Amino acid sequence: AAARAQLAPSGVLRAALNLSNILLNTGRDAEGNPTGVAPDMAKEISTRLGVKLQLVTFPHPNKLCEAAVSQAWDIGLVGADPDRAEHIDFTAAYCEIQATYMVQAASEIHTVVDADQPGKRISVKGGGAYDLWLTRNLQHAELVRAETLDASYDLFYDQQLDALAGLRPKLVADLEKSPGTYRVLNEHFMAVQQAIGCLKTADGSNAGIDFLSRFVEEAKAQGLVEELIDRHKVTGRLSVAPLLQE
């Protein structure tokens, strides 16, 4: 009851979705509502809370996270990152997506470390979880930011930059644009932790995040996440995140 009061005070659970993540939001139903792993996770949470569900969609993860300030949603299904934690409490990840680099086929870059060298320029879509990670962790290479995923590819291609940072499934799909010209590294520099967030409470009450954290661990342990990945045909592109060690 405490979790319901905190997460859905209006009696309706407003679940925020990041539509730029096409692995978690794979399509639309006949009514035009988003379908996929993330909407189904939200549906399961609303069922367990015993409330109605309203999906609130955002074009980019940073827009979703910014909307936490105006309390435009109750739970958000988005990549967890320390830079997004000012107003949002996050569960552990329920699934992961590897982030890596695309490079020229003949490039001397074969590892993640090879890419982070003085003079190297890396194209990236600004504001995503892996951009935040690279911004904090790159020592030498320069990031060149674009507004969209496709624009980051165009920037990499047009300016012949040293690498394109992105999620492995998208990069692998993009290899088809110029067969034989590029390759994707086997290594990954990080895995985007897809998690569930709720708004931090003024009184520090943890009923909501505790409920969501228990739900996520159960969903991983009991095979729900794996079943949804399978149902929405994103097997091999999304991985079930490891269980939290007790």
Side-chain angles (χ1 to χ4, degrees), residues 62-236:
N62 38 347
K63 298 268 187 255
L64 186 158
C65 295
E66 286 161 12
V69 181
S70 59
Q71 303 189 337
W73 48 264
D74 302 308
I75 66 168
L77 293 94
V78 69
D81 185 275
D83 284 4
R84 296 173 174 170
E86 187 184 348
H87 302 287
I88 304 170
D89 282 327
F90 286 107
T91 65
Y94 63 91
C95 66
E96 298 180 328
I97 313 169
Q98 287 185 358
T100 184
Y101 297 120
M102 179 192 285
V103 297
Q104 304 272 354
S107 169
E108 76 279 16
I109 297 173
H110 293 278
T111 66
V112 166
V113 173
D114 293 343
D116 187 14
Q117 298 300 325
K120 294 279 186 262
R121 299 173 74 216
I122 299 171
S123 177
V124 64
K125 172 186 165 281
Y130 51 92
D131 171 36
L132 297 175
W133 190 94
L134 289 168
T135 302
R136 284 196 301 272
N137 290 281
L138 282 182
Q139 302 290 314
H140 306 290
E142 177 195 344
L143 288 174
V144 186
R145 291 185 181 82
E147 291 213 350
T148 66
L149 288 174
D150 288 335
S152 68
Y153 177 90
D154 294 341
L155 198 62
F156 167 66
Y157 180 88
D158 295 340
Q159 297 191 18
Q160 299 201 322
L161 299 181
D162 299 289
L164 167 64
L167 300 179
R168 184 179 298 283
K170 171 78 170 143
L171 293 179
V172 170
D174 280 349
L175 287 176
E176 301 301 314
K177 292 182 181 177
S178 315
T181 312
Y182 302 116
R183 59 184 164 80
V184 174
L185 300 194
N186 291 326
E187 285 188 3
H188 60 278
F189 57 82
M190 58 93 75
V192 180
Q193 307 284 305
Q194 295 296 332
I196 303 176
C198 63
L199 305 174
K200 284 191 191 292
T201 55
D203 62 2
S205 147
N206 291 327
I209 192 62
D210 289 350
F211 171 87
L212 292 173
S213 295
R214 278 195 307 275
F215 166 75
V216 162
E217 295 311 304
E218 281 175 24
K220 291 186 289 193
Q222 295 169 5
L224 172 64
V225 178
E226 194 167 358
E227 181 191 315
L228 294 179
I229 287 172
D230 202 38
R231 181 189 304 169
H232 293 289
K233 300 181 174 53
V234 284
T235 309

